[in-house]
């Protein structure tokens, strides 16, 4: 009688915020080993869970009064939300704890580097990433803060923290300088101070705000960024407090609409007011809105401009043509209808303009296999989207920087002890 061979496996416990990232991402590692380990992969949108070490950022605030207020709040009722305008009671991303990886608090034994670097290396290795671009998380709502000076203070502090403590330690990690967009003069100061810093590969505006991107007060800022030859990203987000979204009674409804809403507004203002003609060498990147909104806006703006060209006199091309020259990140990739997805990717020139992003460690993150498994993409298109487009946009060295996926798997326990 043949004996049944018991597979060599290790049973995991419940996935929580404390579970090792390499265990949460183990399937992604196996996918990389099997299908795309030789690809250059650049993750253009991963997130710093800065609330885990928020006190470090508070301590770097250069305004004495705001720093002292923040330090007192850290010790008291606000804790990791000190000075921020987020609403913890509306943080429903984990679906009542059902999505356990949201909120990374895994144990780290290596104290030779910053804790964030240790955890980021785990996720980069596990997903097979050569580079990872890091964004703040809780700060994504600062554009709606009632006190502009607090956004300025926190932007300066976060940028210092990232530039001084994180980016120099691991060259696989890259940063986009956070711009406190409600205060253009402060943005200009930050671009002048840090724009040429090694590891800073572009600039980011958190889109959740009500500021017209075409206003004259921003023209000098755009000129400075264009001169540096680095892209400007608008990272979308949500705001349930927005009166239009307050009508929605489910997180999924608000989340579905708001992450496209703010970028649609800013991109519309950017094009209709002929910013691509005023700043033709400024590359624009639209982050974390998915793709489904892009063909809608292309058709809608083309239709309106052809009907009312006198209201967009600065345009020399149709809006959709300007949009095809812009860059977009993939996550959250709407994959429910492959025919629609294929049409969308064709409309936006995804093979040259789409950049892979994971949004790790958020609840709706996408692994590189999300792109690799799309059946209608050629191998070259997959390579472009997963890394080569980003390397071109951000001027990154394409030499392999990640360990072999098989080596990453070999470091993990194979069976229960």
């Amino acid at each position: 009688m043949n004996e049944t061979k018991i597979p060599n496996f290790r049973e995991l416990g419940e996935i929580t915020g404390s579970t090792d990232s390499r265990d949460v991402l183990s399937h992604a590692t196996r996918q990389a080993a099997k299908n795309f380990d030789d690809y250059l992969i650049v993750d253009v949108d991963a997130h710093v869970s800065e609330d885990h070490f928020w006190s470090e950022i508070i301590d770097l605030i250069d305004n004495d009064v705001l720093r002292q207020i923040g330090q007192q709040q850290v010790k008291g009722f606000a804790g990791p939300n000190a000075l921020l305008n987020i609403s913890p009671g509306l943080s429903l991303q984990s679906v009542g704890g059902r999505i356990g990886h949201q909120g990374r608090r895994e144990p780290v034994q290596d104290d030779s580097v910053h804790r964030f670097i240790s955890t980021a290396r785990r996720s980069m290795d596990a997903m097979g990433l050569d580079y990872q671009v890091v964004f703040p998380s809780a700060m994504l709502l600062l554009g709606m803060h009632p006190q502009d000076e607090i956004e300025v203070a926190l932007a300066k502090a976060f940028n210092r923290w990232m530039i001084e403590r994180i980016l120099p330690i691991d060259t696989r990690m890259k940063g986009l300088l956070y711009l406190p967009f409600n205060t253009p003069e402060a943005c200009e100061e930050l671009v002048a101070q840090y724009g040429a810093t090694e590891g800073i590969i572009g600039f980011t505006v958190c889109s959740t705000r009500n500021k017209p991107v075409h206003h004259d007060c921003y023209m000098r800022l755009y000129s400075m960024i264009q001169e540096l030859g680095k892209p400007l990203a608008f990272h979308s987000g949500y705001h349930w407090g927005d009166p239009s979204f307050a009508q929605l009674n489910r997180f999924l409804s608000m989340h579905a609409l708001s992450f496209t809403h703010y970028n649609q507004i800013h991109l519309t203002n950017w094009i209709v007011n002929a910013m691509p003609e005023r700043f033709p060498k400024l590359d624009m990147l639209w982050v974390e809105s998915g793709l489904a909104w892009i063909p809608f806006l292309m058709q809608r703006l083309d239709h309106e401009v052809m009907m009312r060209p006198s209201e967009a006199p600065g345009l020399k091309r149709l809006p959709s043509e300007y949009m095809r020259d812009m860059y977009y990140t993939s996550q959250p990739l709407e994959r429910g209808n492959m025919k629609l997805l294929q049409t969308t990717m064709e409309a936006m020139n995804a093979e040259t303009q789409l950049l892979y992003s994971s949004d790790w460690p958020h609840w709706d993150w996408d692994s590189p296999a999300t792109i690799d498994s799309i059946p209608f993409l050629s191998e070259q298109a997959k390579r472009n989207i997963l890394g080569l487009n980003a390397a071109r946009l951000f001027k990154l060295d394409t030499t392999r920087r990640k360990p072999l996926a098989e080596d990453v798997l070999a470091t993990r326990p194979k069976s229960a002890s």
Side-chain angles (χ1 to χ4, degrees):
M1 185 175 182
N2 294 330
E3 293 184 5
T4 301
K5 185 176 181 180
I6 299 175
N8 188 19
F9 67 91
R10 175 170 53 101
E11 184 175 344
L12 291 177
E14 178 185 359
I15 297 293
T16 70
S18 299
T19 304
D20 192 304
S21 293
R22 293 165 293 187
D23 291 334
V24 180
L25 297 169
S26 60
H27 287 300
T29 313
R30 295 185 183 280
Q31 290 165 345
K34 181 179 180 181
N35 298 318
F36 46 84
D37 196 34
D38 63 331
Y39 286 24
L40 174 79
I41 300 185
V42 181
D43 180 2
V44 179
D45 179 30
H47 282 272
V48 180
S49 297
E50 64 270 31
D51 57 312
H52 298 177
F53 22 82
W54 190 239
S55 61
E56 296 179 25
I57 295 169
I58 293 292
D59 289 344
L60 293 174
I61 292 176
D62 61 4
N63 181 300
D64 291 344
V65 174
L66 292 179
R67 183 178 63 253
Q68 291 172 15
I69 292 173
Q71 289 170 336
Q72 287 302 313
Q73 289 186 1
V74 166
K75 297 175 183 176
F77 67 93
N81 299 315
L83 296 180
L84 293 170
N85 57 321
I86 62 175
S87 301
L90 294 179
S91 298
L92 303 175
Q93 288 89 335
S94 69
V95 198
R98 294 177 180 86
I99 301 178
H101 68 263
Q102 174 82 21
R104 301 272 74 223
R105 296 188 180 277
E106 62 197 275
V108 173
Q109 289 76 38
D110 182 7
D111 59 2
S112 64
V113 294
H114 194 283
R115 182 184 184 280
F116 171 70
I117 294 173
S118 294
T119 57
R121 284 173 173 169
R122 289 178 178 180
S123 64
M124 286 191 291
D125 291 350
M127 282 191 278
L129 307 179
D130 292 279
Y131 296 99
Q132 189 171 69
V133 181
V134 294
F135 279 77
S137 292
M139 293 173 64
L140 290 173
L141 194 58
L142 277 179
M144 295 295 192
H145 202 294
Q147 296 173 277
D148 289 344
E149 65 272 21
I150 288 183
E151 183 188 23
V152 171
L154 291 176
K156 291 180 177 179
F158 175 81
N159 288 331
R160 274 192 61 194
W161 176 84
M162 178 173 61
I163 289 168
E164 296 176 5
R165 303 187 183 184
I166 304 300
L167 299 184
I169 307 303
D170 196 322
T171 57
R172 292 169 67 192
M173 300 176 66
K174 302 297 179 184
L176 300 179
L177 199 71
Y178 180 105
L179 299 179
F181 199 66
N182 292 354
T183 311
E185 300 82 3
C187 295
E188 294 169 15
E189 292 174 9
L190 285 167
V191 171
Q193 183 177 4
Y194 295 121
T197 301
E198 187 174 358
I200 294 296
I201 58 175
F203 307 89
T204 187
V205 173
C206 293
S207 303
T208 309
R209 65 183 72 235
N210 297 316
K211 290 291 180 180
V213 299
H214 58 284
H215 194 281
D216 286 345
C217 65
Y218 295 115
M219 297 305 109
R220 186 170 183 269
L221 172 65
Y222 299 148
S223 181
M224 293 173 67
I225 295 175
Q226 179 177 249
E227 187 174 346
L228 284 168
K230 297 181 179 182
L232 173 61
F234 277 79
H235 190 300
S236 203
Y238 71 87
H239 179 38
W240 215 339
D242 188 304
S244 59
F245 297 130
Q247 305 170 71
L248 302 169
N249 69 335
R250 293 290 185 268
F251 182 88
L252 79 85
S253 308
M254 178 276 301
H255 189 269
L257 297 180
S258 62
F259 267 86
T260 62
H261 172 81
Y262 294 104
N263 271 352
Q264 285 189 72
I265 290 175
H266 298 321
L267 189 151
T268 297
N269 271 333
W270 187 267
I271 289 180
V272 172
N273 292 280
M275 294 296 102
E277 295 295 339
R278 297 189 66 174
F279 303 98
K281 296 182 180 180
L282 177 54
D283 288 317
M284 300 297 296
L285 172 63
W286 305 93
V287 180
E288 203 173 334
S289 293
L291 305 186
W293 65 285
I294 298 170
F296 158 76
L297 198 59
M298 284 180 167
Q299 294 182 75
R300 193 71 178 174
L301 292 182
D302 281 0
H303 174 77
E304 294 289 338
V305 165
M306 287 189 287
M307 295 284 284
R308 308 171 68 88
S310 63
E311 294 184 15
L315 299 188
K316 298 180 180 179
R317 299 185 290 162
L318 288 173
S320 60
E321 296 179 66
Y322 291 110
M323 288 181 68
R324 288 189 192 97
D325 290 339
M326 296 176 176
Y327 294 87
Y328 308 86
T329 62
S330 59
Q331 192 277 338
L333 189 63
E334 303 94 341
R335 294 166 48 91
N337 187 315
M338 282 292 167
K339 186 175 181 180
L340 281 178
L341 180 59
Q342 182 173 6
T343 301
T344 297
M345 287 191 167
E346 290 172 355
M348 62 180 288
N349 290 340
E351 186 164 350
T352 60
Q353 307 307 119
L354 182 60
L355 281 57
Y356 164 69
S357 61
S358 73
D359 197 41
W360 176 260
H362 291 168
W363 66 279
D364 55 345
W365 73 283
D366 286 338
S367 75
T370 305
I371 301 297
D372 181 67
S373 61
I374 296 176
F376 56 79
L377 289 178
S378 67
E379 181 181 348
Q380 188 59 55
K382 294 175 182 179
R383 288 181 179 272
N384 289 352
I385 294 168
L386 283 170
L388 294 178
N389 290 343
R392 171 168 49 88
L393 177 63
F394 294 116
K395 302 177 178 63
L396 300 173
D397 181 5
T398 58
T399 305
R400 183 188 182 106
R401 292 171 176 264
K402 62 192 174 189
L404 291 170
E406 290 290 353
D407 291 343
V408 176
L409 289 170
T411 64
R412 305 302 297 142
K414 298 300 189 300
S415 60
S417 57

